[in-house]
PDB file of all heavy atoms in Angstrom:
ATOM      1  N   PHE M  14     126.933  75.661  84.642  1.00  0.00           N
ATOM      2  CA  PHE M  14     125.775  75.537  83.757  1.00  0.00           C
ATOM      3  C   PHE M  14     125.785  74.159  83.107  1.00  0.00           C
ATOM      4  O   PHE M  14     126.844  73.601  82.802  1.00  0.00           O
ATOM      5  CB  PHE M  14     125.818  76.586  82.643  1.00  0.00           C
ATOM      6  CG  PHE M  14     125.610  78.006  83.117  1.00  0.00           C
ATOM      7  CD1 PHE M  14     126.625  78.940  83.000  1.00  0.00           C
ATOM      8  CD2 PHE M  14     124.396  78.399  83.673  1.00  0.00           C
ATOM      9  CE1 PHE M  14     126.444  80.244  83.431  1.00  0.00           C
ATOM     10  CE2 PHE M  14     124.208  79.702  84.098  1.00  0.00           C
ATOM     11  CZ  PHE M  14     125.235  80.627  83.983  1.00  0.00           C
ATOM     12  N   ARG M  59     129.917 116.966  54.566  1.00  0.00           N
ATOM     13  CA  ARG M  59     130.947 116.884  55.608  1.00  0.00           C
ATOM     14  C   ARG M  59     130.319 116.834  56.997  1.00  0.00           C
ATOM     15  O   ARG M  59     130.847 116.202  57.900  1.00  0.00           O
ATOM     16  CB  ARG M  59     131.910 118.078  55.490  1.00  0.00           C
ATOM     17  CG  ARG M  59     132.743 118.037  54.224  1.00  0.00           C
ATOM     18  CD  ARG M  59     133.856 119.054  54.245  1.00  0.00           C
ATOM     19  NE  ARG M  59     134.885 118.714  55.222  1.00  0.00           N
ATOM     20  CZ  ARG M  59     135.938 119.458  55.489  1.00  0.00           C
ATOM     21  NH1 ARG M  59     136.103 120.608  54.857  1.00  0.00           N
ATOM     22  NH2 ARG M  59     136.821 119.092  56.396  1.00  0.00           N
ATOM     23  N   LEU M  61     127.544 115.316  57.647  1.00  0.00           N
ATOM     24  CA  LEU M  61     127.119 113.911  57.800  1.00  0.00           C
ATOM     25  C   LEU M  61     128.313 113.023  58.133  1.00  0.00           C
ATOM     26  O   LEU M  61     128.247 112.169  59.008  1.00  0.00           O
ATOM     27  CB  LEU M  61     126.432 113.435  56.510  1.00  0.00           C
ATOM     28  CG  LEU M  61     125.073 114.076  56.198  1.00  0.00           C
ATOM     29  CD1 LEU M  61     124.594 113.624  54.818  1.00  0.00           C
ATOM     30  CD2 LEU M  61     124.053 113.692  57.250  1.00  0.00           C
ATOM     31  N   GLN M  73     132.402  98.890  64.548  1.00  0.00           N
ATOM     32  CA  GLN M  73     132.686  97.631  63.864  1.00  0.00           C
ATOM     33  C   GLN M  73     133.219  96.554  64.811  1.00  0.00           C
ATOM     34  O   GLN M  73     133.379  95.410  64.403  1.00  0.00           O
ATOM     35  CB  GLN M  73     133.662  97.892  62.728  1.00  0.00           C
ATOM     36  CG  GLN M  73     133.057  98.796  61.649  1.00  0.00           C
ATOM     37  CD  GLN M  73     133.570  98.536  60.266  1.00  0.00           C
ATOM     38  OE1 GLN M  73     134.689  98.088  60.088  1.00  0.00           O
ATOM     39  NE2 GLN M  73     132.752  98.806  59.270  1.00  0.00           N
ATOM     40  N   THR M  93     131.007  75.986  57.435  1.00  0.00           N
ATOM     41  CA  THR M  93     130.025  75.697  56.386  1.00  0.00           C
ATOM     42  C   THR M  93     129.481  76.987  55.755  1.00  0.00           C
ATOM     43  O   THR M  93     129.337  77.073  54.528  1.00  0.00           O
ATOM     44  CB  THR M  93     128.869  74.875  56.964  1.00  0.00           C
ATOM     45  OG1 THR M  93     129.408  73.735  57.645  1.00  0.00           O
ATOM     46  CG2 THR M  93     127.919  74.426  55.885  1.00  0.00           C
ATOM     47  N   VAL M 114     139.065 104.381  53.588  1.00  0.00           N
ATOM     48  CA  VAL M 114     139.767 105.228  52.616  1.00  0.00           C
ATOM     49  C   VAL M 114     138.939 106.474  52.319  1.00  0.00           C
ATOM     50  O   VAL M 114     139.474 107.592  52.239  1.00  0.00           O
ATOM     51  CB  VAL M 114     140.040 104.429  51.320  1.00  0.00           C
ATOM     52  CG1 VAL M 114     140.897 105.250  50.365  1.00  0.00           C
ATOM     53  CG2 VAL M 114     140.727 103.112  51.641  1.00  0.00           C
ATOM     54  N   THR M 181     114.645  85.955  49.193  1.00  0.00           N
ATOM     55  CA  THR M 181     115.920  86.431  49.730  1.00  0.00           C
ATOM     56  C   THR M 181     116.190  87.877  49.283  1.00  0.00           C
ATOM     57  O   THR M 181     116.762  88.666  50.041  1.00  0.00           O
ATOM     58  CB  THR M 181     117.076  85.525  49.278  1.00  0.00           C
ATOM     59  OG1 THR M 181     117.166  85.508  47.850  1.00  0.00           O
ATOM     60  CG2 THR M 181     116.886  84.109  49.775  1.00  0.00           C
ATOM     61  N   LEU M 194     116.433 103.620  57.715  1.00  0.00           N
ATOM     62  CA  LEU M 194     115.596 104.239  58.747  1.00  0.00           C
ATOM     63  C   LEU M 194     116.445 104.604  59.968  1.00  0.00           C
ATOM     64  O   LEU M 194     116.331 105.713  60.508  1.00  0.00           O
ATOM     65  CB  LEU M 194     114.489 103.262  59.164  1.00  0.00           C
ATOM     66  CG  LEU M 194     113.649 103.668  60.372  1.00  0.00           C
ATOM     67  CD1 LEU M 194     112.886 104.957  60.085  1.00  0.00           C
ATOM     68  CD2 LEU M 194     112.672 102.559  60.766  1.00  0.00           C
ATOM     69  N   HIS M 195     117.316 103.660  60.365  1.00  0.00           N
ATOM     70  CA  HIS M 195     118.157 103.919  61.543  1.00  0.00           C
ATOM     71  C   HIS M 195     119.146 105.065  61.260  1.00  0.00           C
ATOM     72  O   HIS M 195     119.373 105.923  62.115  1.00  0.00           O
ATOM     73  CB  HIS M 195     118.909 102.645  61.883  1.00  0.00           C
ATOM     74  CG  HIS M 195     119.378 102.573  63.293  1.00  0.00           C
ATOM     75  ND1 HIS M 195     118.673 103.096  64.360  1.00  0.00           N
ATOM     76  CD2 HIS M 195     120.519 102.053  63.844  1.00  0.00           C
ATOM     77  CE1 HIS M 195     119.355 102.889  65.477  1.00  0.00           C
ATOM     78  NE2 HIS M 195     120.475 102.273  65.192  1.00  0.00           N
ATOM     79  N   THR M 198     117.231 108.462  61.463  1.00  0.00           N
ATOM     80  CA  THR M 198     116.939 108.955  62.819  1.00  0.00           C
ATOM     81  C   THR M 198     118.222 109.462  63.496  1.00  0.00           C
ATOM     82  O   THR M 198     118.173 110.375  64.324  1.00  0.00           O
ATOM     83  CB  THR M 198     116.302 107.852  63.691  1.00  0.00           C
ATOM     84  OG1 THR M 198     117.171 106.715  63.748  1.00  0.00           O
ATOM     85  CG2 THR M 198     114.955 107.432  63.124  1.00  0.00           C
ATOM     86  N   LYS M 209     118.452 118.361  58.640  1.00  0.00           N
ATOM     87  CA  LYS M 209     117.562 117.675  59.577  1.00  0.00           C
ATOM     88  C   LYS M 209     116.158 117.517  58.986  1.00  0.00           C
ATOM     89  O   LYS M 209     115.517 116.461  59.146  1.00  0.00           O
ATOM     90  CB  LYS M 209     117.482 118.494  60.879  1.00  0.00           C
ATOM     91  CG  LYS M 209     116.702 117.831  61.979  1.00  0.00           C
ATOM     92  CD  LYS M 209     116.875 118.623  63.268  1.00  0.00           C
ATOM     93  CE  LYS M 209     116.256 117.882  64.438  1.00  0.00           C
ATOM     94  NZ  LYS M 209     116.653 118.496  65.715  1.00  0.00           N
ATOM     95  N   GLY M 240     109.212  75.251  55.855  1.00  0.00           N
ATOM     96  CA  GLY M 240     110.132  75.282  56.980  1.00  0.00           C
ATOM     97  C   GLY M 240     110.744  73.930  57.258  1.00  0.00           C
ATOM     98  O   GLY M 240     110.633  72.991  56.446  1.00  0.00           O
ATOM     99  N   ASP M 247     117.547  64.899  68.169  1.00  0.00           N
ATOM    100  CA  ASP M 247     118.336  66.099  68.477  1.00  0.00           C
ATOM    101  C   ASP M 247     118.309  66.330  69.977  1.00  0.00           C
ATOM    102  O   ASP M 247     117.412  67.002  70.506  1.00  0.00           O
ATOM    103  CB  ASP M 247     117.760  67.298  67.725  1.00  0.00           C
ATOM    104  CG  ASP M 247     118.842  68.312  67.389  1.00  0.00           C
ATOM    105  OD1 ASP M 247     120.014  67.922  67.329  1.00  0.00           O
ATOM    106  OD2 ASP M 247     118.490  69.481  67.179  1.00  0.00           O
ATOM    107  N   ALA M 263     108.558  71.090  55.965  1.00  0.00           N
ATOM    108  CA  ALA M 263     107.117  71.102  56.190  1.00  0.00           C
ATOM    109  C   ALA M 263     106.577  72.497  55.904  1.00  0.00           C
ATOM    110  O   ALA M 263     107.162  73.511  56.323  1.00  0.00           O
ATOM    111  CB  ALA M 263     106.809  70.712  57.619  1.00  0.00           C
ATOM    112  N   PHE M 271     105.945  80.303  66.850  1.00  0.00           N
ATOM    113  CA  PHE M 271     104.925  81.313  67.171  1.00  0.00           C
ATOM    114  C   PHE M 271     103.578  80.659  67.474  1.00  0.00           C
ATOM    115  O   PHE M 271     102.802  81.157  68.286  1.00  0.00           O
ATOM    116  CB  PHE M 271     104.775  82.301  65.998  1.00  0.00           C
ATOM    117  CG  PHE M 271     105.968  83.204  65.824  1.00  0.00           C
ATOM    118  CD1 PHE M 271     106.940  82.917  64.891  1.00  0.00           C
ATOM    119  CD2 PHE M 271     106.141  84.312  66.647  1.00  0.00           C
ATOM    120  CE1 PHE M 271     108.047  83.738  64.743  1.00  0.00           C
ATOM    121  CE2 PHE M 271     107.244  85.140  66.503  1.00  0.00           C
ATOM    122  CZ  PHE M 271     108.202  84.852  65.560  1.00  0.00           C
ATOM    123  N   ILE M 315     115.288  91.444  63.514  1.00  0.00           N
ATOM    124  CA  ILE M 315     116.259  90.353  63.683  1.00  0.00           C
ATOM    125  C   ILE M 315     115.737  89.308  64.669  1.00  0.00           C
ATOM    126  O   ILE M 315     115.878  88.095  64.458  1.00  0.00           O
ATOM    127  CB  ILE M 315     117.613  90.932  64.145  1.00  0.00           C
ATOM    128  CG1 ILE M 315     118.169  91.859  63.076  1.00  0.00           C
ATOM    129  CG2 ILE M 315     118.611  89.802  64.428  1.00  0.00           C
ATOM    130  CD1 ILE M 315     119.448  92.553  63.458  1.00  0.00           C
ATOM    131  N   THR M 338     121.873  72.747  64.032  1.00  0.00           N
ATOM    132  CA  THR M 338     120.993  73.365  65.031  1.00  0.00           C
ATOM    133  C   THR M 338     121.798  73.827  66.231  1.00  0.00           C
ATOM    134  O   THR M 338     122.995  73.521  66.342  1.00  0.00           O
ATOM    135  CB  THR M 338     119.918  72.359  65.513  1.00  0.00           C
ATOM    136  OG1 THR M 338     120.549  71.387  66.340  1.00  0.00           O
ATOM    137  CG2 THR M 338     119.234  71.673  64.353  1.00  0.00           C
ATOM    138  N   CYS M 342     125.768  71.997  66.787  1.00  0.00           N
ATOM    139  CA  CYS M 342     126.821  72.724  66.048  1.00  0.00           C
ATOM    140  C   CYS M 342     127.819  73.402  66.986  1.00  0.00           C
ATOM    141  O   CYS M 342     128.695  74.131  66.530  1.00  0.00           O
ATOM    142  CB  CYS M 342     126.204  73.755  65.121  1.00  0.00           C
ATOM    143  SG  CYS M 342     125.476  75.171  65.978  1.00  0.00           S
ATOM    144  N   LEU M 351     134.580  78.689  79.157  1.00  0.00           N
ATOM    145  CA  LEU M 351     135.672  79.684  79.162  1.00  0.00           C
ATOM    146  C   LEU M 351     135.252  80.965  78.447  1.00  0.00           C
ATOM    147  O   LEU M 351     135.535  82.081  78.896  1.00  0.00           O
ATOM    148  CB  LEU M 351     136.902  79.084  78.470  1.00  0.00           C
ATOM    149  CG  LEU M 351     137.637  77.984  79.236  1.00  0.00           C
ATOM    150  CD1 LEU M 351     138.733  77.351  78.382  1.00  0.00           C
ATOM    151  CD2 LEU M 351     138.234  78.533  80.532  1.00  0.00           C
ATOM    152  N   LEU M 357     131.762  87.697  80.169  1.00  0.00           N
ATOM    153  CA  LEU M 357     131.246  88.341  81.376  1.00  0.00           C
ATOM    154  C   LEU M 357     132.160  89.468  81.870  1.00  0.00           C
ATOM    155  O   LEU M 357     131.708  90.483  82.392  1.00  0.00           O
ATOM    156  CB  LEU M 357     131.096  87.274  82.490  1.00  0.00           C
ATOM    157  CG  LEU M 357     130.287  87.688  83.713  1.00  0.00           C
ATOM    158  CD1 LEU M 357     128.823  87.876  83.347  1.00  0.00           C
ATOM    159  CD2 LEU M 357     130.408  86.630  84.812  1.00  0.00           C
ATOM    160  N   LEU M 365     130.940 100.218  78.588  1.00  0.00           N
ATOM    161  CA  LEU M 365     131.254 101.446  79.318  1.00  0.00           C
ATOM    162  C   LEU M 365     132.111 102.396  78.467  1.00  0.00           C
ATOM    163  O   LEU M 365     131.867 103.601  78.421  1.00  0.00           O
ATOM    164  CB  LEU M 365     131.991 101.111  80.619  1.00  0.00           C
ATOM    165  CG  LEU M 365     131.117 100.543  81.735  1.00  0.00           C
ATOM    166  CD1 LEU M 365     131.977 100.086  82.917  1.00  0.00           C
ATOM    167  CD2 LEU M 365     130.097 101.578  82.221  1.00  0.00           C
ATOM    168  N   THR M 379     127.505 120.967  63.176  1.00  0.00           N
ATOM    169  CA  THR M 379     126.992 122.072  62.360  1.00  0.00           C
ATOM    170  C   THR M 379     127.969 122.430  61.248  1.00  0.00           C
ATOM    171  O   THR M 379     129.161 122.117  61.321  1.00  0.00           O
ATOM    172  CB  THR M 379     126.755 123.323  63.227  1.00  0.00           C
ATOM    173  OG1 THR M 379     128.026 123.746  63.749  1.00  0.00           O
ATOM    174  CG2 THR M 379     125.805 123.011  64.374  1.00  0.00           C
ATOM    175  N   TYR M 391     136.893 115.524  58.965  1.00  0.00           N
ATOM    176  CA  TYR M 391     136.695 114.764  57.720  1.00  0.00           C
ATOM    177  C   TYR M 391     136.133 115.649  56.638  1.00  0.00           C
ATOM    178  O   TYR M 391     135.378 116.557  56.895  1.00  0.00           O
ATOM    179  CB  TYR M 391     135.717 113.593  57.979  1.00  0.00           C
ATOM    180  CG  TYR M 391     136.298 112.507  58.867  1.00  0.00           C
ATOM    181  CD1 TYR M 391     135.781 112.283  60.139  1.00  0.00           C
ATOM    182  CD2 TYR M 391     137.361 111.709  58.425  1.00  0.00           C
ATOM    183  CE1 TYR M 391     136.291 111.291  60.957  1.00  0.00           C
ATOM    184  CE2 TYR M 391     137.878 110.720  59.238  1.00  0.00           C
ATOM    185  CZ  TYR M 391     137.342 110.516  60.499  1.00  0.00           C
ATOM    186  OH  TYR M 391     137.844 109.527  61.299  1.00  0.00           O
TER     187      TYR M 391
END
Side-chain angles (χ1 to χ4, degrees):
F14 292 115
R59 293 190 70 183
L61 292 174
Q73 296 211 331
T93 307
V114 186
T181 61
L194 171 63
H195 202 36
T198 58
K209 185 171 188 168
D247 210 23
F271 290 99
I315 298 176
T338 72
C342 71
L351 289 173
L357 193 67
L365 285 173
T379 63
Y391 291 113

